[in-house]
Amino acid sequence: MCGIAGFIDFSKKASLPVLKDMTDALLHRGPDDGGYEVFEHPNALIGLGQRRLSILDLSSGGHQPMHFKQYTMIFNGEVYNFKEIRRELEHQGYRFTSSSDTEVLIKGYDCWKEKIVDRCIGMFAFVIYDREEQQVIFCRDRAGVKPLYYYWHNNVLLFASELKSFSRFPDFEKKIDVNSVSLFLQYSYIPAPYTIFEHTHKLKPGHFMHLSLKNKALTTSEYWSVLDAYRQPLTGMYEGDIIRHTKELMESAYKYRMVADVPVGVFLSGGYDSSSVAAILQASSGSRLKTFTIGYKEAQFDESKEARRIAQHLGTDHTEWIVGASDARDILEHLPEIYDEPFADNSTVPTTLVSKLAAKQVKVVLSADGGDELFAGYNKFNQSLHYTESMPKSLQGVVSKVMKLVNPAHIPYFNKQYNFASRYEKMKLIWASGKSQQALKYISQYITETEAASYLGGTRCTYKTNFDMNGELNNINDSLNRLLSVDYKTFLVDNNLVKVDRATMSVSIEGREPMLDHRLVEFLAKVPAHVKVKNKINKYILKEIVHQYIPKTLMDRPKRPFIAPLTHWFRDELKEQMAYYLSPAKLEQTGLFDPAHIQTLKQNYFDGGKVSHQKLWNILVFQLWYSRWMEQL
């Protein structure tokens, strides 16, 4: 696990000190070693920098940039099956001087070119400078576990694991993209390929990008898509065989993520996803697995007791930390540094805190993201199908048209209910579309596009995202899987994976995602809806597997999200921060928001109104980000 950064500068103004500055902005991602090299091509200067967190081959043999023949590589991530690939390469006549996966990757590229990624089980973002072909190749893993940003403007291409590196490049134009601000307000994150800045992008998961040094042509190509997996025919396997094969794939995927030359632990929330990781690994381990949990003083948000009981049943070496508003206050000011574009999933707070806890004992930690997307755990999937399939399409259209004629503020009783105006607007849009994937989009929004525009002085977003896929979803193998594929390409990659990567890397530990092994993803994509959700039981397959290790009585309880109790804290201990950053003066200083709309929302919230705290949290996070990255630099 590392951080990578660099430039391809066709104006030839960049230098080694600039490269070092860009790369060392990622010191937290790789405190163990650093490498920086600048190459001169007739048309450009190519800078490749890397900060290393030593996980495999702790010797200098894993130093980067790494060279082989005409190739120079920098690499962020892990290839878990590198030993098998290495043996295959040795049969081809390749010889190795280290035990690192980086050497396997660069020599594998020499042997198979881009087809090397088809052999890789892992998470990765890498850059290769090919001197003979006069091109620079960029790649991001299938799921997008590892980040890769790029900026292409004024004859300069910058790239890095995090946006903060770009601020160290003298000619980087830090201009806010208002369309991206609208997307952020709606979803609490900015969907790929967009970022907060103009001319700046995220390389999409499962993609290569090539920059020709001859003619400056920048092209991208997709080598893997989760949609292709969901287009495969549904499996005809019996339920019992599906469960057995899923368990076998989970065991293989989880064990691969234990490959390391340093201590490894597991985040354990007490839910089915993380419990499956802890249970399967502890069952095959000869020593006690280290598990880590965050709990809250507010009982309705706290799952630490359940996690503790599961840890005791499994026999893990368990550590927990019960946190309160004061711990959140300490984290709050650091969030813009950790998440260097606006990012408002409120579980950033507990994820950052549990990462700090784990960093005291381990250097690698396993998370369990992907369980809800692969096994159909979220109720939003059920809701999307129910809202669009339980009523005739023609009637949905009529109801939507009637709703347009009624102001929700004038509906007695209901207008006093929690977040009613937004929920009314969403249902109107859902029934107008009649499509389950559009229902998923609107359910996923914390702030509707119309409301976001009102906060931004009337500016409406013009960007399309993966929520807006249409024809691409026509051949998906069933209606539930269609929604799972959309969520995989949106919320999973741009919210959950960003959250864990930045939180773990902020304290210099590696976060791994065993549920996102592409073999498991591809198999579950062929499993029909009636097995994933059986007798109204979400995650049926996963639950049947977990119950083989943990009694149902320990696991069977209402699903609770892994979030911080911000709705309480911002009316009490953290009210001062909310009031300050959302004051008219601070909002006017940002220059993007209409203060009047936000003051009304804020006051309604402070007065105890039925207002979604997430709306205010999104705006607060943006204000914190703006203060750090636009005012201070």
Side-chain angles (χ1 to χ4, degrees):
M1 180 69 69
C2 313
I4 57 177
F7 54 73
I8 297 96
D9 183 5
F10 290 95
S11 65
K12 294 193 172 184
K13 295 178 182 177
S15 63
L16 183 61
V18 169
L19 174 65
K20 190 174 188 302
D21 200 21
M22 289 179 65
T23 307
D24 287 352
L26 306 175
L27 180 65
H28 55 286
R29 296 186 74 94
D32 299 330
D33 186 24
Y36 328 85
E37 294 187 37
V38 175
F39 307 89
E40 187 164 3
H41 180 273
N43 296 335
L45 293 177
I46 300 100
L48 302 178
Q50 192 248 16
R51 293 298 322 185
R52 185 183 180 203
L53 182 68
S54 300
I55 302 296
L56 294 170
D57 189 351
L58 308 185
S59 73
S60 60
H63 179 79
Q64 299 179 38
M66 185 172 285
H67 306 274
F68 182 69
K69 294 184 177 179
Q70 76 266 30
Y71 307 110
T72 300
M73 169 184 278
I74 50 176
F75 165 51
N76 168 29
E78 306 286 355
V79 177
Y80 303 116
N81 64 329
F82 75 99
K83 291 182 179 178
E84 293 98 304
I85 299 173
R86 174 173 170 157
R87 286 194 290 270
E88 192 174 355
L89 287 167
E90 286 173 337
H91 287 308
Q92 298 271 0
Y94 288 86
R95 296 293 175 261
F96 293 84
T97 60
S98 75
S99 57
S100 75
D101 54 349
T102 309
E103 187 179 3
V104 171
L105 193 56
I106 193 171
K107 291 179 178 178
Y109 186 86
D110 176 66
C111 183
W112 300 298
K113 298 300 182 285
E114 293 178 3
K115 292 295 184 182
I116 175 61
V117 297
D118 296 337
R119 289 172 162 80
C120 293
I121 298 172
M123 54 181 186
F124 43 83
F126 62 79
V127 180
I128 297 175
Y129 171 35
D130 183 340
R131 287 179 289 280
E132 287 190 6
E133 293 296 324
Q134 299 184 62
Q135 65 174 341
V136 182
I137 304 102
F138 305 81
C139 182
R140 192 173 177 201
D141 67 66
R142 299 174 182 86
V145 179
K146 291 296 99 193
L148 189 57
Y149 294 86
Y150 66 96
Y151 167 85
W152 180 224
H153 188 54
N154 288 339
N155 287 317
V156 173
L157 188 140
L158 308 177
F159 60 89
S161 299
E162 297 180 19
L163 280 176
K164 56 176 60 71
S165 290
F166 297 166
S167 295
R168 304 290 184 92
F169 192 86
D171 293 334
F172 173 60
E173 290 188 10
K174 204 169 38 168
K175 187 176 181 181
I176 291 176
D177 187 334
V178 180
N179 280 309
S180 291
V181 177
S182 177
L183 288 175
F184 164 72
L185 292 178
Q186 292 172 57
Y187 298 107
S188 80
Y189 60 87
I190 299 175
Y194 314 111
T195 75
I196 190 59
F197 296 121
E198 293 186 1
H199 311 298
T200 310
H201 312 274
K202 304 175 180 88
L203 180 60
K204 292 181 181 179
H207 277 70
F208 278 101
M209 183 170 74
H210 298 80
L211 179 64
S212 170
L213 300 173
K214 303 173 189 176
N215 59 16
K216 305 180 188 176
L218 186 67
T219 59
T220 59
S221 59
E222 188 173 48
Y223 68 86
W224 188 90
S225 171
V226 74
L227 296 183
D228 289 337
Y230 280 105
R231 291 187 185 111
Q232 297 300 307
L234 293 170
T235 179
M237 294 171 65
Y238 291 112
E239 177 186 302
D241 293 330
I242 289 173
I243 292 172
R244 278 190 291 274
H245 189 57
T246 301
K247 181 182 175 184
E248 290 170 358
L249 289 171
M250 290 168 66
E251 289 172 342
S252 174
Y254 294 6
K255 289 175 184 177
Y256 263 131
R257 272 68 181 179
M258 293 297 286
V259 173
D261 296 326
V262 293
V264 180
V266 174
F267 289 153
L268 180 62
S269 69
Y272 276 94
D273 300 347
S274 62
S275 294
S276 78
V277 178
I280 287 174
L281 290 176
Q282 186 61 74
S284 61
S285 175
S287 58
R288 296 177 69 196
L289 185 70
K290 291 183 179 294
T291 53
F292 303 92
T293 295
I294 287 291
Y296 298 109
K297 296 174 183 177
E298 292 80 5
Q300 64 268 46
F301 293 89
D302 183 44
E303 288 189 296
S304 63
K305 294 183 180 64
E306 291 90 342
R308 189 187 315 135
R309 285 195 288 266
I310 290 168
Q312 289 171 346
H313 175 80
L314 296 175
T316 68
D317 180 4
H318 191 60
T319 304
E320 66 181 40
W321 181 12
I322 307 301
V323 302
S326 60
D327 301 296
R329 186 184 299 112
D330 293 339
I331 289 292
L332 197 60
E333 298 293 335
H334 296 290
L335 288 181
E337 186 69 34
I338 297 171
Y339 299 91
D340 50 11
E341 76 173 352
F343 184 77
D345 184 317
N346 67 23
S347 61
T348 55
V349 174
T351 306
T352 303
L353 291 172
V354 76
S355 297
K356 288 182 65 176
L357 179 66
K360 297 176 182 179
Q361 299 185 47
V362 299
K363 206 168 182 178
V364 174
V365 67
L366 276 59
S367 186
D369 296 290
D372 287 303
E373 288 77 8
L374 299 185
F375 292 98
Y378 293 131
N379 283 328
K380 62 185 177 183
F381 305 135
N382 307 329
Q383 292 170 344
S384 298
L385 293 170
H386 174 72
Y387 292 151
T388 55
E389 296 183 0
S390 60
M391 184 190 303
K393 301 296 183 186
S394 57
L395 183 56
Q396 291 179 46
V398 171
V399 172
S400 177
K401 289 177 182 178
V402 172
M403 292 177 73
K404 289 181 181 179
L405 304 175
V406 180
N407 186 336
H410 298 157
I411 303 177
Y413 176 74
F414 291 103
N415 60 7
K416 304 295 183 183
Q417 301 306 304
Y418 174 77
N419 206 30
F420 177 68
S422 292
R423 290 156 59 200
Y424 185 91
E425 174 72 11
K426 289 180 180 182
M427 290 308 306
K428 181 178 69 177
L429 293 169
I430 288 170
W431 283 326
S433 75
K435 295 180 179 180
S436 60
Q437 62 263 35
Q438 286 297 296
L440 180 64
K441 170 184 176 177
Y442 298 129
I443 291 170
S444 299
Q445 291 174 334
Y446 292 103
I447 298 175
T448 64
E449 185 177 345
T450 300
E451 193 172 4
S454 71
Y455 295 161
L456 293 169
T459 302
R460 299 188 73 91
C461 180
T462 60
Y463 287 160
K464 299 297 184 183
T465 73
N466 282 323
F467 281 112
D468 301 304
M469 291 186 294
N470 193 8
E472 302 96 321
L473 301 175
N474 287 345
N475 297 320
I476 300 301
N477 53 32
D478 78 21
S479 56
L480 174 62
N481 283 344
R482 182 181 297 113
L483 301 182
L484 301 187
S485 70
V486 172
D487 215 50
Y488 188 99
K489 290 174 70 67
T490 53
F491 182 68
L492 174 67
V493 61
D494 292 317
N495 188 92
N496 291 349
L497 298 186
V498 170
K499 173 182 62 182
V500 174
D501 175 81
R502 304 305 189 279
T504 53
M505 287 276 85
S506 72
V507 291
S508 302
I509 61 174
E510 174 175 291
R512 295 179 174 179
E513 301 287 359
M515 282 193 164
L516 297 181
D517 188 297
H518 70 278
R519 300 168 300 160
L520 183 61
V521 173
E522 290 171 352
F523 174 70
L524 288 171
K526 296 185 290 186
V527 174
H530 72 267
V531 183
K532 288 175 177 170
V533 180
K534 184 176 181 180
N535 299 326
K536 297 185 178 180
I537 299 174
N538 289 5
K539 286 187 179 174
Y540 174 77
I541 298 170
L542 181 64
K543 289 178 180 180
E544 288 295 296
I545 293 170
V546 171
H547 293 159
Q548 297 176 27
Y549 299 89
I550 304 171
K552 186 177 181 180
T553 52
L554 279 182
M555 297 299 307
D556 200 11
R557 59 184 183 278
K559 179 180 176 66
R560 275 189 282 184
F562 182 60
I563 60 174
L566 297 177
T567 185
H568 295 277
W569 293 347
F570 283 130
R571 283 190 173 123
D572 194 359
E573 294 98 327
L574 301 181
K575 183 176 180 179
E576 183 178 344
Q577 282 88 339
M578 177 78 79
Y580 172 74
Y581 283 103
L582 270 58
S583 66
K586 291 297 289 185
L587 291 168
E588 288 172 4
Q589 190 174 0
T590 304
L592 291 172
F593 298 113
D594 181 349
H597 279 83
I598 296 171
Q599 292 311 302
T600 300
L601 183 71
K602 180 182 70 174
Q603 197 56 53
N604 191 3
Y605 177 76
F606 284 156
D607 290 344
K610 300 295 182 68
V611 175
S612 169
H613 75 278
Q614 187 72 40
K615 296 180 179 182
L616 290 165
W617 173 238
N618 286 8
I619 300 166
L620 172 62
V621 165
F622 183 89
Q623 291 292 95
L624 288 166
W625 174 86
Y626 188 93
S627 178
R628 168 64 184 90
W629 292 105
M630 302 302 291
E631 293 178 356
Q632 295 183 24
L633 292 173

